[in-house]
Amino acid sequence: MQDYINEPQEQDDSETIRDYLMLFWRWAWLIILAGVLAGTASFLLSMRMDPVYEAKSTVLISEASGTSGTDYSSLMASERLTRTYSEVMSSETVLVEVSQLLGITMPLTDMAGMITVTPVRDTQLIELAVRSSDPEQAARIANTLVGVFTNQIQNIQSSRYSQSKDSLQTQLADLERQIQDYSDRMNAATSEDEIERLDSKLSQYQQIYSNLLMSFEQVRLAEAQSSSNITQIEPASVPYAPVSPNVLRNTVLAVAVGMMLAAGGLVAREALDDTVKSPREVQRLFGLPVLGVIARNTIPEAYLITDYQPRSPVTEAYRMLRTNIQFANIDRPVKTLLVTSAEPQEGKTTIAANLAVVNAQNGSEVTLMDCDLRRPTVHKRFKLPNQKGFSTLFISTLDSLDQIRQVSKIPHLSVLTSGPLPPNPSELIGSRRMIEILKRVGAKGDLIIIDSPPTLAVTDSSILAPVVDGVLLVITPGETRRTAVRQMIEQLNRVGGTILGVVFNNFNEHRTYYSYRSNKYYARYGKYFSEDTQELSRRKA
């Protein structure tokens, strides 16, 4: 027994890309609609938002000359100082003084949210940006913030040397008074001894004054060398164009995001979809050949399209299916064919009836048997009575077959309807009498096509599969689940059935790349669906 079930294999990259491209092409209208809706919503929201203006200023931090250098440590220290100043610039102390100077009453948290301080990497520059709905207010806050920050940093740096400078200035003032006093006393003295003594004292005070003055200058020099200089090299100007909302940018981004979300949703839906979609998927997942693809048509099920429109593209697809079945098993010609599906409502009766018609049109003596003893429908398709039929043969002699089998309006096609519904269909189909019935029916014809119940619903098809020459599986793309197909194949293989292949029924011509190629074929063949065929259809109607 041949095992047709293969383990799923990875698709080639080209096939995967092609499948996704066809998926996006098929749903392009939805992707575009999602982008248009998202872009429209973003445009309307952006137009209703209040404009926001941004004022920018650039500050240069000149490092103290006493700490400057070219080694790595000095460069790192310079970058750390710039980052530190960028944090201090937006501190609460600075913001409080700025709000007091400008008379701003908003909370400090709101004001801090308006300010962005960014150190420029690998430089000693700090970029300050202030956003506000009032462009003039944004510029004022930026410039005032730089001024307040500069003053506070200078005060902090000066406080380190203020005590020494104050002490030296006090001593210098005292010495200046002493020097002036001795100068006056020396000018008033009359004796040489007195003048000489005062001049010696005055020289001492002058020497001390020179030393203190030198110390004072050294302190000032040390202060200048250790203090960083803050310079506003680019003052903030009043902005005239808002930076937010950027209507064009928001709209374009919304369109892109909307289309990407729609495309992602389609990919996720396709990945989670467990249904069989294309013939190539059947070949890849289950290793079964696809013997036919029957496109979706608008003909009601009450009419057999192979008889109603004998030259239509769909009828030609049935003829191709007939030919493929004939060559499906060369070593064992197919005399009895079982048509089944995994689940109900997949069109197996339609396939069986039309396949019987095209075989009869080819000159073969065909018998269509309705072995669905639960929900038979073959007699409805051919508009035949169902008082007697297949089930009657189990309680009567086989010699009555010719009276029970009905001749249809299609030449060379006989129909054996189901007959009265028995209470035990599975037991009847599994009996020896069933094999005798098949032999007797086959003795007076070339081909028996059996319409059976769904394989996963009841056991009738599994019982019939070993006693027929071949089994044809009907799959409806987009509806038949992969797990159901897998279970059906496993069940038929388990009982020894010979699966010839798969026929796709009700195939949507706009779903896959395969259907695109089929469409091109149908379009070329459609010119043969000429006026005489249409006239024939009208006469039959």
Side-chain angles (χ1 to χ4, degrees), residues 53-227:
Y53 298 86
E54 183 179 69
K56 290 186 176 182
S57 179
T58 304
V59 178
L60 173 64
I61 307 298
S62 300
E63 192 178 3
S65 58
T67 60
S68 61
T70 58
D71 59 344
Y72 179 76
S73 299
S74 300
L75 294 175
M76 292 298 296
S78 176
E79 291 185 9
R80 286 197 297 269
L81 179 64
T82 303
R83 290 195 297 269
T84 301
Y85 279 1
S86 65
E87 295 292 333
V88 176
M89 189 176 291
S90 58
S91 63
E92 182 177 351
T93 305
V94 177
L95 296 181
V96 168
E97 187 172 348
V98 171
S99 60
Q100 291 176 352
L101 291 175
L102 298 179
I104 299 176
T105 58
M106 71 174 63
L108 291 180
T109 54
D110 295 343
M111 187 175 179
M114 299 165 54
I115 300 170
T116 303
V117 182
T118 307
V120 181
R121 186 175 180 180
D122 298 331
T123 67
Q124 293 175 270
L125 298 176
I126 297 177
E127 289 186 349
L128 170 65
V130 180
R131 292 193 173 190
S132 174
S133 56
D134 184 357
E136 295 183 356
Q137 184 187 53
R140 287 197 302 269
I141 292 177
N143 292 324
T144 305
L145 183 67
V146 173
V148 170
F149 170 72
T150 302
N151 293 333
Q152 289 191 3
I153 292 298
Q154 289 178 351
N155 293 335
I156 293 173
Q157 292 176 344
S158 299
S159 63
R160 294 183 298 172
Y161 297 92
S162 59
Q163 185 175 358
S164 299
K165 289 169 61 179
D166 292 343
S167 176
L168 289 173
Q169 286 178 343
T170 301
Q171 294 181 44
L172 288 172
D174 291 341
L175 285 174
E176 286 178 355
R177 289 194 296 272
Q178 293 288 341
I179 291 172
Q180 184 63 39
D181 180 56
Y182 277 99
S183 296
D184 294 340
R185 289 171 60 185
M186 189 177 64
N187 292 333
T190 55
S191 63
E192 288 292 333
D193 294 338
E194 183 68 16
I195 291 174
E196 184 177 353
R197 186 181 65 81
L198 292 173
D199 182 60
S200 176
K201 199 69 174 176
L202 180 62
S203 298
Q204 292 178 1
Y205 281 117
Q206 288 177 341
Q207 182 65 34
I208 295 173
Y209 182 83
S210 297
N211 294 335
L212 288 176
L213 185 61
M214 184 178 297
S215 298
F216 182 76
E217 293 299 329
Q218 290 176 349
V219 171
R220 291 180 57 187
L221 180 60
E223 180 183 7
Q225 290 179 343
S226 61
S227 299

Side-chain angles (χ1 to χ4, degrees), residues 7-56:
E7 292 298 326
Q9 301 174 358
E10 295 294 333
Q11 284 182 304
D12 294 337
D13 293 340
S14 59
E15 292 183 352
T16 303
I17 294 174
R18 183 176 58 194
D19 290 342
Y20 281 118
L21 289 178
M22 291 305 300
L23 173 68
F24 295 149
W25 175 256
R26 187 171 72 247
W27 293 99
W29 66 271
L30 179 61
I31 298 175
I32 295 174
L33 179 61
V36 170
L37 293 177
T40 303
S42 176
F43 176 79
L44 295 177
L45 290 176
S46 298
M47 293 298 294
R48 294 174 62 89
M49 294 174 62
D50 295 331
V52 177
Y53 298 86
E54 183 179 69
K56 290 186 176 182

Side-chain angles (χ1 to χ4, degrees), residues 269-282:
R269 175 179 174 273
E270 192 78 5
L272 297 175
D273 189 2
D274 186 43
T275 60
V276 179
K277 304 176 188 64
S278 67
R280 188 176 66 238
E281 190 174 358
V282 171

Side-chain angles (χ1 to χ4, degrees), residues 357-370:
V357 171
V358 294
N359 276 277
Q361 290 173 345
N362 196 38
S364 300
E365 294 295 332
V366 182
T367 300
L368 177 61
M369 292 180 58
D370 191 351

